[in-house]
Amino acid sequence: MNFEVVSPYCGLYMEGNAVNVYYLQTEDLAREYVFGNNKDAQDFYNAAKNLLEFMVNVPNGKEELYHQEFLERTIKDKAYELIVHEAIPEEEREAS
């Protein structure tokens, strides 16, 4: 697994045509973007890394939200599937 921490609030993992984005402060375990080809996935992965330099003036605590919104805008014209992997709530873990 080539998980890469790209900021204090974000990590990335790419495999084939899928890119997983992990945010530290969200309820989602990961947001997986599956593209129709490897080039679109690589472009998205690079955009996710390169967005960080534009995040310097974002208010503290809003970095993940802004990063996610900017990413969504970079792929608005691309064909992809978004799979949100949610963490299992503590109540459900205790019940099993």
Side-chain angles (χ1 to χ4, degrees):
M1 179 181 210
N2 293 326
F3 177 77
E4 181 178 2
V5 176
V6 294
S7 77
Y9 56 86
C10 180
L12 301 170
Y13 171 70
M14 181 176 163
E15 183 174 324
N17 64 337
V19 178
N20 288 284
V21 182
Y22 302 90
Y23 292 110
L24 182 63
Q25 300 297 322
T26 63
E27 293 179 9
D28 302 338
L29 187 58
R31 299 176 66 82
E32 181 177 6
Y33 297 83
V34 182
F35 295 90
N37 60 65
N38 290 357
K39 183 191 179 316
D40 286 348
Q42 186 66 57
D43 290 347
F44 178 76
Y45 184 86
N46 293 339
K49 286 176 54 174
N50 294 335
L51 272 178
L52 300 174
E53 59 191 69
F54 298 103
M55 303 292 289
V56 293
N57 294 323
V58 172
N60 286 337
K62 300 285 186 185
E63 296 93 351
E64 293 173 11
L65 180 64
Y66 279 57
H67 190 263
Q68 187 175 333
E69 179 66 28
F70 290 148
L71 279 181
E72 296 291 332
R73 291 178 187 215
T74 65
I75 56 174
K76 67 180 180 178
D77 297 327
K78 303 279 185 192
Y80 69 95
E81 178 184 2
L82 172 61
I83 303 167
V84 178
H85 300 279
E86 297 178 353
I88 300 171
E90 186 175 333
E91 306 84 56
E92 288 183 29
R93 281 193 309 246
E94 291 173 353
S96 53

